[in-house]
Amino acid sequence: MTTKNIFRNLGKSELRVSMVGLGCWQFSQGKGIIGNYWKFLDDQQIKNIIKTSLDEGINWFDTAEVYGWGASEHAIAKELQELHQLPQNIVMATKWWPLFRTARSISRSIDRRLSTLHPYSIDLYQIHQPFSFSAIPAQMRELANLLDQRKIRYAGVSNFSARRMTRAQEELQKRGYLLVSNQVKYNLLDRKIESNGILETAKQLGITIIAYSPLAQGILSGKFHHNPKLIQDVSLFRKYAGHLGKRFLKKSQSVIEILENLSRKYGVTSSQIALNWLIHFHENTVVVIPGASTPEQARENAQTMYFTLAREDLDLIDQATKQFI
Ligand SMILES: NC(=O)c1ccc[n+]([C@@H]2O[C@H](COP(=O)([O-])OP(=O)(O)OC[C@H]3O[C@@H](n4cnc5c(N)ncnc54)[C@H](OP(=O)(O)O)[C@@H]3O)[C@@H](O)[C@H]2O)c1
């Protein structure tokens, strides 16, 4: 490991997060509506992934209430404690699930979130997606109440359009708070945030983009292109929602080849090149939260923080993936 600065401020806050965080949907342990999307990971496997991530310099974890209805949050808190991690050294990001709920459930459910994550606090509390029975102002007023009560440190959103993100920021500002982040899908095979105003607005407002599915759920590693048989082992849900059909693999083939050429040049992997582009192409605006099913993947993904692609290679990748904007 080098002494390179791997930390960034989240939005305009003083909260420092490593450029790579650990996505923890994978720790749902088969529970809840989307808990079977990923293969089941037992407690020991989860501990090994978390330990490797910490060893490689990651200081934050992205989870959600809906990831196994608390199973992921519970597993992270349990394993971090067993690994003797002090709460003040960990940044915890979780999310409220809005579907079929009103904004009032934000304050009604917060104590459950805090007890599930205990002794770790909620540094970033995100609205998971914009569709609840209540409008954005009501949701932001609830987040502001939690900020007043010091139950959460910062407020963020996820899957919010540019307009909704601006609205959320305006509402929080009325109470003296900032919106620090918008967590959205962003990877080299899905660059829509560059054309729908989300990225531009985030830059203007000083809001960090937290890129989810930064490896296009494993596709950017190239493994499914080289060994399509691997697709047989993934859940049906992932096969379809994760773009693992023949057409998309064909469409993305040329991108995989470019990543492989660069991986040889830098002596790293294609996944590391794909993540590196995300964290460097837009200066400080984007951080990434790849998920992992093994400690080896977690190590590989975290190590992208320790090198930087040259400008000409960032631009080469930009040109080669313009069709995905
Ligand atoms: N806010 C939202 O609505 C939202 C939505 C989706 C995700 N998220 C968050 O974002 C995180 C990451 O997104 P994601 O899990 O959808 O996609 P991702 O990070 O692009 O892909 C993760 C999966 O790719 C495979 N993988 C990871 N590293 C690899 C490597 N180095 N080489 C080869 N394969 C590798 C693993 O699956 P296999 O080993 O099984 O192939 C892993 O489970 C989630 O954990 C969650 O915290 C948020």
Side-chain angles (χ1 to χ4, degrees):
M1 234 184 263
T2 68
T3 52
K4 185 170 184 266
N5 177 19
I6 57 164
F7 296 99
R8 284 190 179 156
N9 289 55
L10 212 54
K12 290 181 181 163
S13 79
E14 94 293 359
L15 191 63
R16 303 278 286 164
V17 294
S18 45
M19 294 186 272
V20 177
L22 181 68
C24 298
W25 175 13
Q26 282 71 6
F27 303 162
S28 304
Q29 300 199 303
K31 301 192 185 89
I33 33 172
I34 51 168
N36 283 311
Y37 192 94
W38 302 104
K39 57 178 104 105
F40 182 91
L41 298 175
D42 65 26
D43 289 1
Q44 189 59 49
Q45 289 172 304
I46 293 175
K47 180 178 280 152
N48 293 343
I49 292 169
I50 291 178
K51 181 175 185 314
T52 305
S53 302
L54 293 165
D55 289 347
E56 295 298 331
I58 281 179
N59 77 333
W60 66 295
F61 299 85
D62 176 76
T63 180
E65 177 182 21
V66 77
Y67 299 163
W69 289 117
S72 167
E73 293 173 327
H74 175 76
I76 300 166
K78 174 177 170 290
E79 304 312 338
L80 284 173
Q81 267 183 284
E82 288 183 18
L83 291 164
H84 310 292
Q85 293 300 309
L86 298 174
Q88 60 266 34
N89 296 336
I90 298 296
V91 173
M92 191 69 74
T94 190
K95 315 180 194 84
W96 171 71
W97 182 248
L99 211 60
F100 303 121
R101 281 167 146 182
T102 64
R104 288 188 65 190
S105 100
I106 293 176
S107 42
R108 285 200 192 118
S109 57
I110 192 68
D111 289 339
R112 170 68 70 86
R113 305 272 60 74
L114 286 166
S115 65
T116 308
L117 286 165
H118 183 79
Y120 303 95
S121 47
I122 299 177
D123 299 292
L124 175 66
Y125 204 37
Q126 304 156 101
I127 305 289
H128 204 138
Q129 42 91 345
F131 307 109
S132 90
F133 288 138
S134 303
I136 289 167
Q139 295 175 35
M140 294 305 127
R141 282 195 294 274
E142 288 288 335
L143 287 184
N145 291 343
L146 300 185
L147 288 161
D148 284 347
Q149 297 160 32
R150 307 271 187 273
K151 289 197 170 185
I152 61 172
R153 274 179 80 194
Y154 291 101
V157 294
S158 176
N159 298 305
F160 271 43
S161 65
R163 187 181 58 78
R164 289 190 171 108
M165 188 170 48
T166 308
R167 188 86 187 86
Q169 167 87 314
E170 287 165 359
E171 282 302 317
L172 284 171
Q173 270 173 344
K174 287 182 191 164
R175 296 277 294 270
Y177 296 113
L178 293 168
L179 182 75
V180 298
S181 59
N182 188 8
Q183 181 177 139
V184 289
K185 189 195 272 192
Y186 188 40
N187 62 57
L188 287 173
L189 302 175
D190 188 339
R191 295 179 57 184
K192 282 195 283 295
I193 68 161
E194 294 177 56
S195 57
N196 62 16
I198 292 179
L199 184 70
E200 202 184 317
T201 305
K203 284 182 182 176
Q204 280 162 8
L205 300 178
I207 291 170
T208 294
I209 291 292
I210 300 177
Y212 74 69
S213 303
L215 291 171
Q217 300 196 336
I219 295 178
L220 285 163
S221 71
K223 66 184 177 184
F224 297 113
H225 290 79
H226 286 289
N227 186 6
K229 280 199 181 132
L230 288 176
I231 297 167
Q232 290 166 8
D233 296 335
V234 312
S235 70
L236 210 57
F237 192 5
R238 179 177 173 192
K239 199 173 292 175
Y240 293 103
H243 298 291
L244 286 169
K246 277 192 189 128
R247 253 190 38 230
F248 192 71
L249 291 186
K250 197 166 168 210
K251 191 174 170 194
S252 49
Q253 178 67 43
S254 60
V255 176
I256 300 300
E257 282 163 20
I258 284 162
L259 295 181
E260 283 174 356
N261 285 340
L262 288 169
S263 74
R264 280 188 286 276
K265 174 171 170 185
Y266 285 84
V268 298
T269 66
S270 298
S271 298
Q272 290 171 331
I273 300 281
L275 294 173
N276 205 270
W277 186 88
L278 289 179
I279 56 179
H280 291 299
F281 191 66
H282 302 287
E283 293 175 356
N284 290 333
T285 304
V286 180
V287 295
V288 295
I289 46 165
S293 66
T294 63
E296 291 73 27
Q297 288 178 354
R299 175 171 297 111
E300 183 179 328
N301 298 342
Q303 283 182 350
T304 199
M305 294 191 283
Y306 300 104
F307 73 99
T308 306
L309 287 166
R311 188 75 241 172
E312 69 203 51
D313 293 324
L314 290 169
D315 292 340
L316 177 85
I317 296 171
D318 171 43
Q319 288 303 321
T321 57
K322 282 239 187 274
Q323 61 168 315
F324 297 100
I325 293 182

